[in-house]
Amino acid sequence: MLEDYLDLNRRYLGLTNCFIFNEKKVELDIVPKQLFNSAISELYKQAYKKSDLRFKRSSLEEICPALIFNEENIIKGINRDLGSNVNNIKAAYNEVDRLRYERFNKLIDSKFTDEKLLALLYKFELRSDDEICRMVTENADVPTIFEYILGIIWYKISEKKGKILDYFKLSLDANLLPVTHAGGGEADIVYEYDSTSNYPEHNLLLEATLADSTNQRRMEMEPVSRHLGNHLLRTNNINTYCVFVTTFLHINVIGDFRGRKNLIYCDPQNPDKWITGMKIIPLSTEDLKNIIEYNITYSYLYQYFADAHKSNEFHPQKWYDNCIKIKNAQIIKANSRMSMVAEKKPPKYR
């Protein structure tokens, strides 16, 4: 009976964000495991007792008094299972977070190799939705998956620096796969960068869409600039900018983003508070594929995008073709000449 409803049961359990599915094994995630471990003996006693709570909306404590979140028990359980030596709940969650990123990096290395990411980008361009879901997850729609894949690509471009799981504005299940799309009012992904020798401290707003033609103009032109404008007004960091990624770049969407360089954006609640100019860089999935194929890192891209923004070209197509399009970048042209001499994978550019 359970096998007949295997997929349905898996989906229901997955909604709790408490269970990890590893091949044929199902196990509780770290913190839920400690919560239920501390109450397991009492739960066994109640397992076959009649209860009217099944038909009521009840708290965990009402269902079983032992199901109380006890910080001391959680900390002890985590130390026991992980061999750690934390002494407060914040440190315990930091340890859980460390393991979460460890799992996520393993997931990327196994499920989202460069080859698979390239294949997925191609399928996004074709809108092979069934194949995309089969390759990633059946529990999210394709626009949400596109946002998730963009985040993974940018995490790899950033050499796995930064807390991408925190930067995502979407919910993930216990297996760290996407579930729901980001809500309105904020960019899809806000990537935070500390200052380095290659760039200053700043945030990068990543906006992803699969909308094409007229729909792209209607759906993306206003929200993208609004998200960036409000973010700049809120943070006052003039180095923050936006990268807009899509399978199809509409010429007038490029033109609108380019024109933002010379426009004022005001706080709608306070017209006396405003910023001048916004940097919005449009990229296609073809650009992403070239970035992956040539192993280009963010340390190079930051200055590349900065130079594109500073250019004096304002015709949208010429600006994109000559200043942004990755295939036309000098770094790729130089490497193409090298490849004619020696056939080998392009080196990592920083």
Side-chain angles (χ1 to χ4, degrees), residues 131-227:
E131 189 69 11
I132 291 168
C133 291
R134 186 190 66 78
M135 292 177 68
V136 182
T137 178
E138 300 282 351
N139 297 324
D141 59 25
V142 171
T144 300
I145 295 174
F146 183 56
E147 178 187 325
Y148 176 77
I149 293 301
L150 172 60
I152 287 177
I153 290 172
W154 215 265
Y155 182 55
K156 296 181 78 170
I157 289 171
S158 302
E159 301 175 89
K160 294 185 177 179
K161 296 175 183 175
K163 306 195 76 172
I164 183 61
L165 296 177
D166 296 338
Y167 305 156
F168 276 131
K169 296 298 182 291
L170 49 75
S171 61
L172 306 178
D173 63 21
N175 291 303
L176 305 178
L177 293 171
V179 179
T180 57
H181 187 63
E186 181 63 283
D188 296 329
I189 300 168
V190 180
Y191 214 109
E192 300 176 10
Y193 289 97
D194 293 328
S195 177
T196 72
S197 59
N198 295 298
Y199 47 74
E201 178 184 346
H202 67 285
N203 291 344
L204 169 63
L205 278 62
L206 289 168
E207 298 275 15
T209 185
L210 293 173
D212 58 11
S213 192
T214 305
N215 285 334
Q216 189 175 110
R217 293 183 61 204
R218 177 174 55 84
M219 295 170 60
E220 303 299 337
M221 279 171 52
E222 188 277 332
V224 170
S225 57
R226 171 166 48 85
H227 292 163

Side-chain angles (χ1 to χ4, degrees), residues 263-302:
L263 292 179
I264 288 176
Y265 184 87
C266 295
D267 184 339
Q269 306 301 321
N270 179 12
D272 292 329
K273 186 178 181 181
W274 48 274
I275 56 166
T276 302
M278 288 186 277
K279 180 167 73 174
I280 305 176
I281 304 296
L283 289 182
S284 70
T285 44
E286 190 64 31
D287 292 316
L288 286 184
K289 286 190 282 187
N290 282 317
I291 289 171
I292 294 170
E293 288 170 341
Y294 284 86
N295 215 12
I296 301 173
T297 66
Y298 186 68
S299 296
Y300 172 84
L301 288 174
Y302 177 84

Side-chain angles (χ1 to χ4, degrees), residues 315-332:
H315 185 281
Q317 195 62 55
K318 291 179 181 178
W319 178 58
Y320 170 73
D321 287 342
N322 299 328
C323 302
I324 296 175
K325 195 171 185 178
I326 300 298
K327 190 174 182 179
N328 294 337
Q330 289 299 319
I331 198 169
I332 288 185

